[in-house]
Structure formats: structure tokens, C-alpha cells
Amino acid sequence: MTTLFDGLSKDTMNAPVYSRRRFIKTALAEMAFLVAATMAFPPFINAESTTTKKSTIVVGALAKALRSIGGPVCLAAAVKLEANQSNTDSVYFHLRHAALEASDAMVIAEALKSLPKESHSALVSLSLSYNHALGDAGAIALAQSLPPTIRELGLVNCGIGDAGGKAVLRWAKHATGLRILCIEENQLSEKIKLQIVELMHRNAELSVVV
């Protein structure tokens, strides 16, 4: 076991008792100073690195989902997503005109469900607009998995009816971060459209296109 005396030289050990005592006293004082300095100035933690880790988790899960879905559009999107991640701490997941079906939306939904809550804030925007075959099943799967912190959601022209619209509406009511919701060009009834528009009256920061 290493002790304080391990740092004493042979000359110091052979010095008079009062000299050894003075050396030990000085060493103890230096140790006390180092402990106090560590407590007063804790190791610097880079907040940016923590945020980057969040975005890395989100990108990893979504890129894996895209590769699982397959096809040239999704594979290219996975590569682009990973390449852009190194330049920003915010994740924008846009996959428009990709011929996605409900089953593909479910794969993406499972990836979103797998994300730890502390990483949710990294996902800023998600758009699957102009994927006509998503339908109600795809919209419901997504609505049940979307983090409440997402700021922008695009589901334009996705073949969504009232069942899917209700699911999105239920999520949007509790989506504290939502600022833009685009869900036009779907098969929503006027009743559901009015309920979605009503969200803007409850939240002045929210813009809705329906």
C-alpha cells in the first residue's frame, strides 16, 4: 500500500526529526489544498457533448430502422442522416415521397419507442409527408410512439382518415414541444379538422395546417 512516506527521499528520511516533521507537515498541507481546490472547482463537464450523445442515440435508432425497411430511398436517407448528424445536435427526420406503407411506419415507430426519454429533445422535426399508403394504421403507430418534445410534425397526403387523425390529435394535445403540425390533404372529416384547429386556440405558439 502506498503511503505518504513513499514520497520521501533517502536524504529526507535520514534528516533530523524536526526536518522530517516539517516535510510531512508541508506535504499534508499540499494535499489539503488539492482536495479543497477539487471541491471548489469540479471537473468541467461539456454540456454540448451530452447533447451530441442524445442526437447520436436518435440517429442510430432511426438509421437502423431505415436500413431495416430497405430500398434505395431509405438506405440513402440513413446515410444522409448519419452524415448530417456530425454537424448538428438536432435531428431532422424527413422521409417524403418514399413510398412508405403502414408496416414501414411501424418499424419507425418501434425505433422511436426504443429511445430513452432523455434523448427525446434531440429529435426536433419529423416528416413522412406524401407517403400515400401510410393510412390510419401507420398514423396510429406513429402517434403512439412520437416524443412529446417534437417541434414539427408533417403528415401531409398520407392517406389518413378519422381514426389516424384522432390518434394524432390525442398525441398533439399532450405534445408540449409541438409548434408546427401539417396534416392537410388527408381524408379527415370536418369534425376532426375543427378539433385539430382548436389546438391553436389553446396554444398560441402552435401553427396548424389541416
Side-chain angles (χ1 to χ4, degrees), residues 7-17 19-21 23-24:
L8 299 180
S9 67
K10 183 177 179 181
D11 290 340
T12 302
M13 292 297 292
N14 292 330
V17 173
S19 296
R20 295 201 302 271
R21 288 177 178 172
F23 178 88
I24 294 170

Side-chain angles (χ1 to χ4, degrees), residues 70-193:
V73 175
C74 288
L75 294 177
V79 173
K80 182 178 180 181
L81 189 65
E82 290 170 332
N84 290 342
Q85 188 273 325
S86 60
N87 300 322
T88 179
D89 297 325
S90 300
V91 180
Y92 294 80
F93 185 70
H94 296 167
L95 196 61
R96 306 181 182 103
H97 298 287
L100 298 179
E101 300 179 355
S103 58
D104 302 321
M106 292 175 187
V107 173
I108 295 171
E110 288 302 313
L112 294 173
K113 287 181 181 179
S114 72
L115 298 175
K117 288 184 178 180
E118 58 269 22
S119 70
H120 285 179
S121 60
L123 182 57
V124 175
S125 177
L126 186 147
S127 176
L128 298 182
S129 294
Y130 304 104
N131 289 288
H132 316 296
L134 282 186
D136 285 334
I140 291 170
L142 287 170
Q144 292 175 344
S145 63
L146 289 171
T149 51
I150 286 182
R151 295 181 61 84
E152 304 169 0
L153 176 63
L155 292 171
V156 179
N157 199 343
C158 287
I160 301 172
D162 279 3
K166 288 178 181 178
V168 173
L169 179 62
R170 282 193 296 270
W171 168 79
K173 286 180 178 179
H174 304 285
T176 55
L178 188 63
R179 296 295 178 266
I180 299 174
L181 172 60
C182 298
I183 194 171
E184 69 269 30
E185 299 179 30
N186 285 294
Q187 286 79 55
L188 302 176
S189 66
E190 289 302 316
K191 179 181 178 180
I192 297 299
K193 288 182 180 180

